[in-house]
Amino acid sequence: QKEVEQNSGPLSVPEGAIASLNCTYSDRGSQSFFWYRQYSGKSPELIMFIYSNGDKEDGRFTAQLNKASQYVSLLIRDSQPSDSATYLCAVTGYKLIFGSGTRLLVRP
Amino acid sequence: NAGVTQTPKFQVLKTGQSMTLQCAQDMNHNSMYWYRQDPGMGLRLIYYSASEGTTDKGEVPNGYNVSRLNKREFSLRLESAAPSQTSVYFCASSVIGTLGYGYTFGSGTRLTVV
């Protein structure tokens, strides 16, 4: 079993819709959870992090964490074509373990 | 601009050649990391250095060596390149482990081994 699992996608949503990206992890001791955005040919860029159960909102982005279910998600409201990218979930421990990413495509 | 600088950006090697990927950060971060990214595989940790003077293996260390030259610099060496090492390599740094802010990544090195 992979330590961090994501659906590879692509997840296709129309412009203005809510995109929901999901991630599960295997290590119950994981303490910190991160979402990175990676445009094609570019390096990953941190967009959200969350430590506590519940929701954390930052602009159009909401991270949701459920430690009991070992589940973390990222919601993107009012999706824009510029949000089209691969979204990487990462969890830790001491060092980050990444999922393989979900490709998001926002259709104009 | 502050951040993580990687050199070179592109490299083509022949099988059996050696090379060193350079990484430097100017954010006064303690921890530094080397990842490789292959299609469908996500980012896999090769080696990391929790602090100056220490290095540890990650998930996929075979075929690589590292040196933490000082607090700023962390290099990755391929002693005898193999086609399986064709990948995009990212260096990253963080304050201490992942406290608070995750990692800052360099722009990557695209390596092709023929």
Side-chain angles (χ1 to χ4, degrees):
Chain A
Q1 182 189 4
K2 292 179 65 175
E3 294 185 66
V4 180
E5 298 220 37
Q6 297 180 254
N7 188 315
S8 61
L11 172 67
S12 181
V13 300
E15 183 174 357
I18 295 175
S20 178
L21 304 162
N22 304 315
C23 173
T24 58
Y25 60 95
S26 60
D27 183 1
R28 285 195 171 274
S30 298
Q31 299 173 356
S32 308
F33 306 86
F34 301 83
W35 283 100
Y36 284 80
R37 177 177 62 201
Q38 186 175 26
Y39 293 113
S40 181
K42 301 296 185 181
S43 58
E45 171 193 15
L46 180 66
I47 55 172
M48 290 286 289
F49 60 91
I50 186 167
Y51 305 128
S52 303
N53 276 330
D55 295 359
K56 179 182 178 182
E57 187 174 316
D58 184 1
R60 296 187 296 113
F61 298 97
T62 298
Q64 299 176 317
L65 176 61
N66 184 324
K67 288 187 175 181
S69 299
Q70 295 176 243
Y71 178 94
V72 59
S73 64
L74 179 70
L75 301 178
I76 306 175
R77 291 181 299 282
D78 188 24
S79 296
Q80 301 297 309
S82 59
D83 294 326
S84 297
T86 296
Y87 289 80
L88 301 169
C89 172
V91 306
T92 185
Y94 185 88
K95 49 190 184 297
L96 282 177
I97 304 297
F98 286 83
S100 56
T102 298
R103 191 159 72 92
L104 173 66
L105 178 61
V106 181
R107 308 187 305 272
Chain B
N1 291 335
V4 180
T5 302
Q6 287 183 239
T7 56
K9 294 190 184 302
F10 301 92
Q11 183 72 50
V12 179
L13 289 179
K14 293 182 178 178
T15 298
Q17 287 185 318
S18 62
M19 78 162 295
T20 299
L21 281 64
Q22 306 287 352
C23 176
Q25 54 90 8
D26 57 6
M27 297 174 286
N28 202 35
H29 284 173
N30 292 299
S31 302
M32 299 184 73
Y33 312 83
W34 277 105
Y35 284 87
R36 60 177 289 175
Q37 188 173 36
D38 303 296
M41 301 290 290
L43 286 157
R44 292 185 291 169
L45 183 64
I46 305 171
Y47 271 94
Y48 68 102
S49 171
S51 61
E52 185 178 358
T54 68
T55 60
D56 286 284
K57 295 178 180 179
E59 300 173 69
V60 289
N62 292 343
Y64 305 95
N65 285 299
V66 291
S67 295
R68 184 74 182 265
L69 304 171
N70 48 54
K71 190 172 184 178
R72 293 185 60 248
E73 297 174 287
F74 188 39
S75 63
L76 179 71
R77 182 162 179 83
L78 287 70
E79 291 291 352
S80 179
S84 61
Q85 294 178 304
T86 293
S87 189
V88 180
Y89 291 85
F90 288 103
C91 178
S93 69
S94 65
V95 177
I96 298 177
T98 61
L99 290 178
Y101 306 106
Y103 296 177
T104 301
F105 284 86
S107 57
T109 297
R110 294 183 178 275
L111 175 67
T112 301
V113 183
V114 298

